[in-house]
Amino acid sequence: MLGSTIQRELALIILHDLDDPRITGFPSITRVEVSPDLSIADVYITIMGTPGAQTAALNALKHSAGMMRTRLTKALTLRVAPFIKFHIDEQLKKELNVLNLLDKVRQEDAARHAQPHPENADATTDATIDASKEESTKTQE
């Protein structure tokens, strides 16, 4: 519960209060994990852009973590806010890779089923030849 509240408040702080030119891709907070003693909040983010731009944006967020912690303390009326640690969400990258692989398998499977099987193709060809022979026999009579 506290994690989702922290996530919402940090998203608002990043959106409205940060003015760092290193943050070029819009950072999205995917999840927040708060330690049991509430001393640390691990904030997982995704950032659009090249790996270099992602690293620069992550460093900018880490640099601003102290200011965000102060604003978070005021916004949530906490006596002490958790120490904020930002991380690139590798789990989301892995999930997207798995989804891409599943989509590729689905496409290959659909393409494989769209092609006629050789044994079915022979049967279809034989039936077509038989029908053509019957037609030519009827027209000759």
Side-chain angles (χ1 to χ4, degrees):
M1 171 147 161
L2 183 60
S4 61
T5 304
I6 290 174
Q7 181 175 350
R8 183 176 56 252
E9 289 300 324
L10 284 177
L12 290 172
I13 292 168
I14 291 169
L15 183 64
H16 297 294
D17 298 337
L18 283 188
D19 189 26
D20 193 313
R22 294 176 290 178
I23 302 176
T24 54
F26 184 73
S28 298
I29 300 173
T30 56
R31 68 185 195 278
V32 175
E33 296 176 0
V34 182
S35 65
D37 64 354
L38 305 178
S39 64
I40 299 172
D42 287 302
V43 181
Y44 295 89
I45 61 169
T46 59
I47 303 170
M48 301 302 290
T50 65
Q54 290 175 358
T55 301
L58 179 63
N59 288 335
L61 291 171
K62 287 179 178 180
H63 180 77
S64 302
M67 177 274 296
M68 286 189 256
R69 182 178 185 205
T70 302
R71 296 210 180 169
L72 193 61
T73 304
K74 291 176 185 175
L76 299 179
T77 60
L78 298 171
R79 195 168 63 95
V80 178
F83 181 74
I84 301 169
K85 292 183 177 181
F86 286 99
H87 311 277
I88 296 290
D89 193 349
E90 298 296 332
Q91 180 180 344
L92 185 62
K93 286 181 182 180
K94 290 175 185 174
E95 289 174 8
L96 289 173
N97 285 338
V98 168
L99 289 174
N100 286 337
L101 287 172
L102 289 172
D103 189 48
K104 185 176 178 181
V105 168
R106 183 189 54 77
Q107 289 174 357
E108 289 175 358
D109 192 47
R112 189 177 323 118
H113 288 298
Q115 297 173 352
H117 291 290
E119 61 273 1
N120 292 347
D122 291 343
T124 304
T125 304
D126 292 343
T128 306
I129 292 170
D130 291 342
S132 297
K133 287 180 182 176
E134 285 181 29
E135 282 293 319
S136 65
T137 307
K138 287 182 183 176
T139 56
Q140 288 176 359
E141 294 176 352

